[in-house]
Amino acid sequence: MRISTERLRGPAALAAAVGLLAVGACSADGEGDTSGATVEPGPDAVADAERLYQIINDSRAIEDELIAVEQRVAKRCLEDEGFSVHDPAVFQETNFGAYGAAGYLVDAPVRAVPTPEAAEAWGFGIWVDYVRNPGNEDLAEELLTPEARIAFNLPEGDYGEPDSSEWDAEGEDYQAEWIEAYTGAPAIMGGIKGPEADSEAPPGGCWLTMIETIYGEPYTVESEGESQEGDEEEEEDSSYTATHEPSPAFRIEEFEDTGELLARLDGEDVAFETCLIDSGYEGWELGDEFYPPLWQYFGKMYDPAYFEEYGDEEGIEVPEGPEDVPSDFMGVLDLERAMAVDFAACGQESGLREAVEQGWAAMLVEAYGPIETDMVAWQEQMQGHLDKAQDYLQE
């Protein structure tokens, strides 16, 4: 097998390292092993899960701080060489710490089983996917409150491309010189968006200077290639050069094993569906993913043109909607809220909401508990790098 190497920088390097660590956790013998004693669902599991998830959230916030200080150190190096305008695509602000801020339960599959309070306020949250459609600008500003953004794990602002007007105005000669100063390798000319960095070149330039200033040396993430059963071809081993070691939490990545969660239930899912039938919602089975076709059901009302053009997804049976569908967004939202209130009531009556929360918490403790010490040690190590960088920037 050959080793395929590539150099990535900034947030892209972190994302690549996360992906490789997640693969390594599944493929390497013994590496990233999160097996341990079975954790019983219950209040203790919830408390332990909240503590562990706070550690994970703290790690995300530290990543934001590290990337911000890396950019400051790199910019100082570039400005010392006479470059005052920087590529905004390279020096992007990150906000990893914002995700998960509402607590670990935001990742549990409870969207179809909201709390009564959330159901009354926001329904199932289907409207969030459509409120930014053209013509809903005023509604988006009204409905996407800070509380709603936290509830549905949304960033504070909408996504957008960074302002590149200053960078574009400098022209290709300046951009090519800046890229060479930053990467240590000549830029590749003729790209669609102008000069591009050579991703295959060895570390160098202000990027390497930044790493040596903060961390001492680059960190290489490696992953062994895999071959599928019955497939003669093997994936190549690969490696990525990153600025620093990612958090041990990234070995696990976000797990979504709803099948295991379903096996942990004690009939609450059956009781929930029975309650729905008794409430007039026949045909709304949870399924293996704990998520009936609510998105398709309400999506046809919020954005009928989209569903008329692209049609229903194959294999998904969507219950018939009401005969009189409201023609306005808020009318559909009222329907969504009313239905969510009924689902929430069944979630309370059947005990499904609590069972899902506690079962998911137990799974999270089983996954992250064995690496709690490693996660804390990583945070302490990264804090040392942050302190070192801050001292350098104050010189």
Side-chain angles (χ1 to χ4, degrees):
M1 292 182 291
R2 294 183 293 111
I3 300 292
S4 172
T5 60
E6 182 177 359
R7 177 183 51 176
L8 297 179
R9 311 180 189 283
L14 174 61
V18 169
L20 284 179
L21 278 174
V23 171
C26 297
S27 60
D29 292 338
E31 185 175 345
D33 182 13
T34 58
S35 61
T38 301
V39 176
E40 291 296 324
D44 290 344
V46 171
D48 288 341
E50 288 176 336
R51 185 192 73 254
L52 287 167
Y53 206 82
Q54 185 57 54
I55 295 174
I56 298 168
N57 285 345
D58 291 343
S59 296
R60 291 168 172 158
I62 287 176
E63 289 289 0
D64 288 326
E65 293 183 57
L66 288 170
I67 291 172
V69 81
E70 288 171 7
Q71 293 179 0
R72 290 178 61 193
V73 172
K75 285 180 179 179
R76 172 183 281 194
C77 174
L78 287 162
E79 287 162 8
D80 287 344
E81 296 190 21
F83 297 94
S84 58
V85 177
H86 307 293
D87 184 353
V90 172
F91 293 142
Q92 293 186 50
E93 182 179 351
T94 62
N95 197 13
F96 297 115
Y99 294 93
Y104 81 97
L105 293 181
V106 75
D107 293 321
V110 290
R111 194 174 185 186
V113 198
T115 63
E117 297 77 16
E120 188 172 346
W122 301 305
F124 298 106
I126 309 300
W127 58 271
V128 171
D129 295 333
Y130 300 97
V131 74
R132 296 184 183 87
N133 285 13
N136 293 339
E137 289 81 5
D138 291 342
L139 289 175
E141 184 175 351
E142 174 188 346
L143 295 172
L144 291 177
T145 62
E147 294 79 12
R149 289 181 181 276
I150 290 174
F152 297 106
N153 215 25
L154 300 174
E156 292 183 7
D158 294 331
Y159 296 108
E161 293 291 328
D163 182 5
S164 62
S165 56
E166 285 188 86
W167 173 254
D168 295 337
E170 292 295 333
E172 291 194 351
D173 289 343
Y174 176 93
Q175 293 172 2
E177 292 173 2
W178 184 97
I179 289 172
E180 184 167 355
Y182 180 58
T183 67
I188 299 174
M189 305 301 290
I192 297 177
K193 295 185 177 181
E196 299 175 349
D198 182 358
S199 61
E200 299 294 332
C206 284
W207 188 75
L208 182 58
T209 298
M210 172 269 292
I211 292 175
E212 292 173 339
T213 299
I214 302 175
Y215 304 105
E217 62 181 0
Y219 182 83
T220 300
V221 183
E222 297 181 349
S223 173
E224 294 183 2
E226 294 182 271
S227 59
Q228 301 294 329
E229 186 175 349
D231 189 350
E232 296 181 359
E233 294 187 5
E234 288 186 341
E235 294 182 9
E236 293 182 345
D237 291 353
S238 56
S239 65
Y240 293 85
T241 302
T243 58
H244 62 276
E245 179 182 4
S247 166
F250 292 137
R251 297 176 193 164
I252 300 172
E253 212 184 23
E254 299 291 340
F255 61 89
E256 299 180 0
D257 194 348
T258 53
E260 181 182 344
L261 177 61
L262 188 63
R264 291 172 183 247
L265 298 182
D266 189 24
E268 291 89 354
D269 53 327
V270 176
F272 175 77
E273 292 174 355
T274 300
C275 177
L276 289 183
I277 293 172
D278 292 343
S279 301
Y281 295 100
E282 189 169 358
W284 284 98
E285 292 81 7
L286 279 172
D288 293 340
E289 300 298 324
F290 289 83
Y291 194 64
L294 292 164
W295 187 80
Q296 293 85 350
Y297 182 79
F298 286 106
K300 291 180 179 180
M301 303 182 207
Y302 284 120
D303 194 346
Y306 173 87
F307 283 89
E308 183 177 349
E309 180 176 355
Y310 295 102
D312 296 331
E313 295 183 41
E314 186 177 350
I316 297 179
E317 294 185 11
V318 183
E320 290 291 330
E323 293 184 4
D324 297 323
V325 176
S327 58
D328 63 302
F329 188 95
M330 292 304 296
V332 178
L333 178 53
D334 286 340
L335 282 179
E336 181 182 339
R337 285 170 171 158
M339 184 169 169
V341 167
D342 291 339
F343 273 52
C346 285
Q348 297 289 104
E349 179 182 323
S350 64
L352 180 61
R353 171 83 190 200
E354 182 178 66
V356 169
E357 289 177 344
Q358 294 184 356
W360 195 259
M363 290 168 58
L364 189 145
V365 175
E366 290 172 3
Y368 289 99
I371 63 169
E372 179 177 2
T373 300
D374 293 341
M375 290 192 293
V376 173
W378 177 87
Q379 290 181 7
E380 293 174 351
Q381 180 185 10
M382 293 303 116
Q383 187 59 54
H385 293 311
L386 284 170
D387 294 342
K388 181 180 179 181
Q390 293 292 352
D391 291 342
Y392 168 77
L393 290 169
Q394 291 175 6
E395 293 177 358

